[in-house]
PDB file of all heavy atoms in Angstrom:
ATOM      1  N   SER A 229       2.994 -11.227 -54.561  1.00  0.00           N
ATOM      2  CA  SER A 229       3.673 -11.737 -53.377  1.00  0.00           C
ATOM      3  C   SER A 229       2.631 -12.159 -52.350  1.00  0.00           C
ATOM      4  O   SER A 229       1.458 -11.808 -52.466  1.00  0.00           O
ATOM      5  CB  SER A 229       4.613 -10.692 -52.771  1.00  0.00           C
ATOM      6  OG  SER A 229       3.876  -9.597 -52.264  1.00  0.00           O
ATOM      7  N   GLY A 230       3.078 -12.866 -51.351  1.00  0.00           N
ATOM      8  CA  GLY A 230       2.187 -13.284 -50.281  1.00  0.00           C
ATOM      9  C   GLY A 230       2.970 -14.021 -49.226  1.00  0.00           C
ATOM     10  O   GLY A 230       3.962 -14.673 -49.525  1.00  0.00           O
ATOM     11  N   GLU A 231       2.527 -13.883 -48.013  1.00  0.00           N
ATOM     12  CA  GLU A 231       3.181 -14.553 -46.892  1.00  0.00           C
ATOM     13  C   GLU A 231       2.156 -14.859 -45.815  1.00  0.00           C
ATOM     14  O   GLU A 231       1.191 -14.127 -45.631  1.00  0.00           O
ATOM     15  CB  GLU A 231       4.265 -13.667 -46.268  1.00  0.00           C
ATOM     16  CG  GLU A 231       5.417 -13.339 -47.184  1.00  0.00           C
ATOM     17  CD  GLU A 231       6.308 -14.514 -47.531  1.00  0.00           C
ATOM     18  OE1 GLU A 231       6.312 -15.523 -46.796  1.00  0.00           O
ATOM     19  OE2 GLU A 231       7.007 -14.430 -48.553  1.00  0.00           O
ATOM     20  N   SER A 232       2.426 -15.923 -45.096  1.00  0.00           N
ATOM     21  CA  SER A 232       1.689 -16.224 -43.875  1.00  0.00           C
ATOM     22  C   SER A 232       2.544 -15.703 -42.734  1.00  0.00           C
ATOM     23  O   SER A 232       3.765 -15.827 -42.766  1.00  0.00           O
ATOM     24  CB  SER A 232       1.504 -17.740 -43.754  1.00  0.00           C
ATOM     25  OG  SER A 232       0.846 -18.050 -42.563  1.00  0.00           O
ATOM     26  N   LEU A 233       1.921 -15.103 -41.737  1.00  0.00           N
ATOM     27  CA  LEU A 233       2.663 -14.550 -40.622  1.00  0.00           C
ATOM     28  C   LEU A 233       2.843 -15.589 -39.523  1.00  0.00           C
ATOM     29  O   LEU A 233       2.007 -16.478 -39.351  1.00  0.00           O
ATOM     30  CB  LEU A 233       1.947 -13.317 -40.072  1.00  0.00           C
ATOM     31  CG  LEU A 233       1.773 -12.187 -41.096  1.00  0.00           C
ATOM     32  CD1 LEU A 233       0.973 -11.044 -40.489  1.00  0.00           C
ATOM     33  CD2 LEU A 233       3.120 -11.693 -41.589  1.00  0.00           C
ATOM     34  N   ALA A 234       3.919 -15.451 -38.758  1.00  0.00           N
ATOM     35  CA  ALA A 234       4.199 -16.358 -37.651  1.00  0.00           C
ATOM     36  C   ALA A 234       3.131 -16.186 -36.573  1.00  0.00           C
ATOM     37  O   ALA A 234       2.366 -15.219 -36.569  1.00  0.00           O
ATOM     38  CB  ALA A 234       5.594 -16.072 -37.082  1.00  0.00           C
ATOM     39  N   ASP A 235       3.116 -17.101 -35.632  1.00  0.00           N
ATOM     40  CA  ASP A 235       2.154 -17.116 -34.540  1.00  0.00           C
ATOM     41  C   ASP A 235       2.056 -15.744 -33.871  1.00  0.00           C
ATOM     42  O   ASP A 235       3.051 -15.050 -33.686  1.00  0.00           O
ATOM     43  CB  ASP A 235       2.597 -18.166 -33.515  1.00  0.00           C
ATOM     44  CG  ASP A 235       1.543 -18.484 -32.483  1.00  0.00           C
ATOM     45  OD1 ASP A 235       0.702 -17.621 -32.176  1.00  0.00           O
ATOM     46  OD2 ASP A 235       1.564 -19.608 -31.968  1.00  0.00           O
ATOM     47  N   LEU A 236       0.866 -15.374 -33.492  1.00  0.00           N
ATOM     48  CA  LEU A 236       0.588 -14.065 -32.893  1.00  0.00           C
ATOM     49  C   LEU A 236       1.443 -13.780 -31.663  1.00  0.00           C
ATOM     50  O   LEU A 236       1.815 -12.633 -31.415  1.00  0.00           O
ATOM     51  CB  LEU A 236      -0.898 -13.975 -32.524  1.00  0.00           C
ATOM     52  CG  LEU A 236      -1.374 -12.674 -31.909  1.00  0.00           C
ATOM     53  CD1 LEU A 236      -1.177 -11.516 -32.880  1.00  0.00           C
ATOM     54  CD2 LEU A 236      -2.823 -12.785 -31.512  1.00  0.00           C
ATOM     55  N   VAL A 237       1.793 -14.795 -30.893  1.00  0.00           N
ATOM     56  CA  VAL A 237       2.580 -14.550 -29.683  1.00  0.00           C
ATOM     57  C   VAL A 237       3.987 -14.053 -29.996  1.00  0.00           C
ATOM     58  O   VAL A 237       4.696 -13.598 -29.103  1.00  0.00           O
ATOM     59  CB  VAL A 237       2.641 -15.794 -28.759  1.00  0.00           C
ATOM     60  CG1 VAL A 237       1.256 -16.182 -28.284  1.00  0.00           C
ATOM     61  CG2 VAL A 237       3.348 -16.945 -29.436  1.00  0.00           C
ATOM     62  N   THR A 238       4.398 -14.115 -31.249  1.00  0.00           N
ATOM     63  CA  THR A 238       5.714 -13.595 -31.639  1.00  0.00           C
ATOM     64  C   THR A 238       5.656 -12.113 -31.993  1.00  0.00           C
ATOM     65  O   THR A 238       6.691 -11.505 -32.276  1.00  0.00           O
ATOM     66  CB  THR A 238       6.280 -14.365 -32.844  1.00  0.00           C
ATOM     67  OG1 THR A 238       5.439 -14.130 -33.981  1.00  0.00           O
ATOM     68  CG2 THR A 238       6.369 -15.856 -32.562  1.00  0.00           C
ATOM     69  N   ALA A 239       4.479 -11.520 -31.964  1.00  0.00           N
ATOM     70  CA  ALA A 239       4.304 -10.125 -32.371  1.00  0.00           C
ATOM     71  C   ALA A 239       4.913  -9.159 -31.357  1.00  0.00           C
ATOM     72  O   ALA A 239       4.912  -9.414 -30.156  1.00  0.00           O
ATOM     73  CB  ALA A 239       2.820  -9.803 -32.544  1.00  0.00           C
ATOM     74  N   THR A 240       5.412  -8.053 -31.858  1.00  0.00           N
ATOM     75  CA  THR A 240       5.904  -6.951 -31.041  1.00  0.00           C
ATOM     76  C   THR A 240       5.323  -5.677 -31.619  1.00  0.00           C
ATOM     77  O   THR A 240       5.347  -5.472 -32.828  1.00  0.00           O
ATOM     78  CB  THR A 240       7.442  -6.877 -31.069  1.00  0.00           C
ATOM     79  OG1 THR A 240       7.969  -8.138 -30.663  1.00  0.00           O
ATOM     80  CG2 THR A 240       7.965  -5.789 -30.163  1.00  0.00           C
ATOM     81  N   THR A 241       4.790  -4.824 -30.755  1.00  0.00           N
ATOM     82  CA  THR A 241       4.179  -3.581 -31.204  1.00  0.00           C
ATOM     83  C   THR A 241       4.986  -2.396 -30.691  1.00  0.00           C
ATOM     84  O   THR A 241       5.399  -2.380 -29.529  1.00  0.00           O
ATOM     85  CB  THR A 241       2.722  -3.483 -30.688  1.00  0.00           C
ATOM     86  OG1 THR A 241       2.007  -4.611 -31.190  1.00  0.00           O
ATOM     87  CG2 THR A 241       2.050  -2.207 -31.147  1.00  0.00           C
ATOM     88  N   VAL A 242       5.200  -1.427 -31.565  1.00  0.00           N
ATOM     89  CA  VAL A 242       5.932  -0.214 -31.218  1.00  0.00           C
ATOM     90  C   VAL A 242       4.987   0.975 -31.357  1.00  0.00           C
ATOM     91  O   VAL A 242       4.288   1.105 -32.366  1.00  0.00           O
ATOM     92  CB  VAL A 242       7.149  -0.006 -32.149  1.00  0.00           C
ATOM     93  CG1 VAL A 242       7.859   1.297 -31.835  1.00  0.00           C
ATOM     94  CG2 VAL A 242       8.099  -1.181 -32.061  1.00  0.00           C
ATOM     95  N   ARG A 243       4.972   1.828 -30.357  1.00  0.00           N
ATOM     96  CA  ARG A 243       4.219   3.079 -30.392  1.00  0.00           C
ATOM     97  C   ARG A 243       5.178   4.198 -30.003  1.00  0.00           C
ATOM     98  O   ARG A 243       6.033   4.019 -29.131  1.00  0.00           O
ATOM     99  CB  ARG A 243       3.044   3.061 -29.427  1.00  0.00           C
ATOM    100  CG  ARG A 243       1.955   2.095 -29.826  1.00  0.00           C
ATOM    101  CD  ARG A 243       0.790   2.165 -28.869  1.00  0.00           C
ATOM    102  NE  ARG A 243      -0.117   1.071 -29.163  1.00  0.00           N
ATOM    103  CZ  ARG A 243      -1.421   1.217 -29.274  1.00  0.00           C
ATOM    104  NH1 ARG A 243      -1.983   2.388 -29.095  1.00  0.00           N
ATOM    105  NH2 ARG A 243      -2.178   0.185 -29.536  1.00  0.00           N
ATOM    106  N   VAL A 244       5.002   5.352 -30.648  1.00  0.00           N
ATOM    107  CA  VAL A 244       5.832   6.506 -30.331  1.00  0.00           C
ATOM    108  C   VAL A 244       4.921   7.639 -29.877  1.00  0.00           C
ATOM    109  O   VAL A 244       4.011   8.051 -30.599  1.00  0.00           O
ATOM    110  CB  VAL A 244       6.687   6.943 -31.543  1.00  0.00           C
ATOM    111  CG1 VAL A 244       7.513   8.158 -31.196  1.00  0.00           C
ATOM    112  CG2 VAL A 244       7.578   5.790 -32.005  1.00  0.00           C
ATOM    113  N   ALA A 245       5.162   8.135 -28.666  1.00  0.00           N
ATOM    114  CA  ALA A 245       4.373   9.228 -28.079  1.00  0.00           C
ATOM    115  C   ALA A 245       4.740  10.548 -28.758  1.00  0.00           C
ATOM    116  O   ALA A 245       5.778  10.658 -29.417  1.00  0.00           O
ATOM    117  CB  ALA A 245       4.652   9.314 -26.584  1.00  0.00           C
ATOM    118  N   PRO A 246       3.886  11.560 -28.622  1.00  0.00           N
ATOM    119  CA  PRO A 246       4.175  12.870 -29.216  1.00  0.00           C
ATOM    120  C   PRO A 246       5.546  13.439 -28.800  1.00  0.00           C
ATOM    121  O   PRO A 246       6.175  14.164 -29.565  1.00  0.00           O
ATOM    122  CB  PRO A 246       3.044  13.764 -28.706  1.00  0.00           C
ATOM    123  CG  PRO A 246       1.912  12.812 -28.448  1.00  0.00           C
ATOM    124  CD  PRO A 246       2.569  11.538 -27.988  1.00  0.00           C
ATOM    125  N   ASN A 247       6.017  13.067 -27.612  1.00  0.00           N
ATOM    126  CA  ASN A 247       7.318  13.561 -27.165  1.00  0.00           C
ATOM    127  C   ASN A 247       8.480  12.725 -27.704  1.00  0.00           C
ATOM    128  O   ASN A 247       9.635  12.961 -27.360  1.00  0.00           O
ATOM    129  CB  ASN A 247       7.380  13.610 -25.633  1.00  0.00           C
ATOM    130  CG  ASN A 247       7.336  12.225 -24.993  1.00  0.00           C
ATOM    131  OD1 ASN A 247       7.259  11.206 -25.674  1.00  0.00           O
ATOM    132  ND2 ASN A 247       7.366  12.195 -23.673  1.00  0.00           N
ATOM    133  N   GLY A 248       8.173  11.719 -28.530  1.00  0.00           N
ATOM    134  CA  GLY A 248       9.194  10.885 -29.132  1.00  0.00           C
ATOM    135  C   GLY A 248       9.557   9.651 -28.331  1.00  0.00           C
ATOM    136  O   GLY A 248      10.362   8.838 -28.775  1.00  0.00           O
ATOM    137  N   GLU A 249       8.963   9.488 -27.154  1.00  0.00           N
ATOM    138  CA  GLU A 249       9.263   8.317 -26.331  1.00  0.00           C
ATOM    139  C   GLU A 249       8.669   7.067 -26.956  1.00  0.00           C
ATOM    140  O   GLU A 249       7.496   7.021 -27.319  1.00  0.00           O
ATOM    141  CB  GLU A 249       8.695   8.499 -24.926  1.00  0.00           C
ATOM    142  CG  GLU A 249       9.053   7.357 -23.991  1.00  0.00           C
ATOM    143  CD  GLU A 249       8.519   7.565 -22.582  1.00  0.00           C
ATOM    144  OE1 GLU A 249       8.203   8.708 -22.213  1.00  0.00           O
ATOM    145  OE2 GLU A 249       8.400   6.563 -21.869  1.00  0.00           O
ATOM    146  N   ARG A 250       9.498   6.055 -27.079  1.00  0.00           N
ATOM    147  CA  ARG A 250       9.100   4.801 -27.711  1.00  0.00           C
ATOM    148  C   ARG A 250       8.657   3.803 -26.651  1.00  0.00           C
ATOM    149  O   ARG A 250       9.298   3.636 -25.613  1.00  0.00           O
ATOM    150  CB  ARG A 250      10.282   4.230 -28.485  1.00  0.00           C
ATOM    151  CG  ARG A 250       9.981   2.940 -29.193  1.00  0.00           C
ATOM    152  CD  ARG A 250      11.154   2.481 -29.986  1.00  0.00           C
ATOM    153  NE  ARG A 250      12.127   1.863 -29.090  1.00  0.00           N
ATOM    154  CZ  ARG A 250      13.183   1.182 -29.513  1.00  0.00           C
ATOM    155  NH1 ARG A 250      13.444   1.090 -30.798  1.00  0.00           N
ATOM    156  NH2 ARG A 250      14.002   0.628 -28.651  1.00  0.00           N
ATOM    157  N   THR A 251       7.536   3.122 -26.922  1.00  0.00           N
ATOM    158  CA  THR A 251       7.046   2.053 -26.068  1.00  0.00           C
ATOM    159  C   THR A 251       6.978   0.784 -26.909  1.00  0.00           C
ATOM    160  O   THR A 251       6.416   0.793 -28.004  1.00  0.00           O
ATOM    161  CB  THR A 251       5.641   2.377 -25.516  1.00  0.00           C
ATOM    162  OG1 THR A 251       5.691   3.617 -24.837  1.00  0.00           O
ATOM    163  CG2 THR A 251       5.146   1.293 -24.588  1.00  0.00           C
ATOM    164  N   VAL A 252       7.542  -0.292 -26.381  1.00  0.00           N
ATOM    165  CA  VAL A 252       7.532  -1.580 -27.073  1.00  0.00           C
ATOM    166  C   VAL A 252       6.764  -2.563 -26.207  1.00  0.00           C
ATOM    167  O   VAL A 252       7.033  -2.704 -25.012  1.00  0.00           O
ATOM    168  CB  VAL A 252       8.966  -2.095 -27.311  1.00  0.00           C
ATOM    169  CG1 VAL A 252       8.945  -3.459 -27.974  1.00  0.00           C
ATOM    170  CG2 VAL A 252       9.755  -1.095 -28.148  1.00  0.00           C
TER     171      VAL A 252
END
Side-chain angles (χ1 to χ4, degrees):
S229 66
E231 296 291 339
S232 178
L233 300 176
D235 192 332
L236 181 62
V237 298
T238 65
T240 305
T241 301
V242 177
R243 292 183 189 227
V244 179
N247 67 0
E249 184 178 340
R250 181 177 78 170
T251 304
V252 178

